[in-house]
Amino acid sequence: MTWNLMPQWKIFLGFAFKVAVSLGYLVIGVVFYALVEEKECEGTNCTCASGTVCMEPWTIIDSLYFCMVSMSTVGYGDLTPSSTASRAFTSVYAFFGIAIVFYQLSTMIASVFSSLETAISEFYKKHCCCRPKRIDIDNDGEADVEKPARAI
């Protein structure tokens, strides 16, 4: 029995590429928002002049949260881009997130379900009632006719 590993490697490399593109997309958004955006201070250790609004940069978690919320088109509104350039970047970022990342995700899920469907179909053909039924018409001990199995 020979093993052909090429299809498995192609599947793995395709999956790895899709994961890398999706993670790269998230990293670009997280780095941009962590470097550019600011929010009102949430902690008690903010030191600001009285009468001014204390601002702090978005954390990595804030940036990742905003990227996921924007890409998934949920948009809670608790974090928002503050400048025109950030809003423009967010528009382009969300468009590509919807177009590219969701396409990548859908093809990954489709390949998993396709493999699962093939495995179930092969198991069913091998172990269930898909074998043709042999009929001995003249009672000589040998099958004269094979009744086809049901279609799957």
Side-chain angles (χ1 to χ4, degrees):
M1 177 180 207
T2 61
W3 293 93
N4 184 4
L5 296 179
M6 193 55 145
Q8 287 83 6
W9 280 105
K10 284 183 181 179
I11 291 170
F12 174 75
L13 289 177
F15 181 78
F17 176 75
K18 291 172 185 174
V19 169
V21 167
S22 299
L23 287 177
Y25 169 81
L26 280 175
V27 166
I28 289 169
V30 167
V31 168
F32 176 82
Y33 292 117
L35 293 175
V36 172
E37 286 299 326
E38 290 183 330
K39 64 179 181 176
E40 288 187 26
C41 290
E42 295 175 345
T44 57
N45 55 355
C46 289
T47 54
C48 295
S50 62
T52 62
V53 177
C54 184
M55 301 297 280
E56 64 183 2
W58 285 9
T59 64
I60 299 295
I61 300 298
D62 290 334
S63 301
L64 180 62
Y65 166 77
F66 182 76
C67 289
M68 296 301 291
V69 168
S70 298
M71 180 188 60
S72 64
T73 68
V74 173
Y76 292 119
D78 50 349
L79 292 174
T80 57
S82 56
S83 68
T84 305
S86 275
R87 290 185 189 116
F89 176 81
T90 302
S91 298
V92 172
Y93 186 79
F95 175 77
F96 281 107
I98 294 164
I100 294 172
V101 175
F102 283 161
Y103 172 75
Q104 304 271 356
L105 186 62
S106 68
T107 57
M108 285 190 295
I109 291 171
S111 69
V112 167
F113 279 108
S114 176
S115 300
L116 184 61
E117 178 186 17
T118 302
I120 290 171
S121 177
E122 291 298 320
F123 178 83
Y124 185 77
K125 286 178 185 175
K126 188 175 181 180
H127 297 290
C128 297
C129 59
C130 291
R131 296 187 191 131
K133 185 176 181 180
R134 297 172 181 241
I135 303 171
D136 182 12
I137 296 175
D138 56 7
N139 288 325
D140 65 352
E142 291 186 24
D144 299 314
V145 178
E146 282 191 1
K147 181 180 175 185
R150 290 185 303 170
I152 296 178

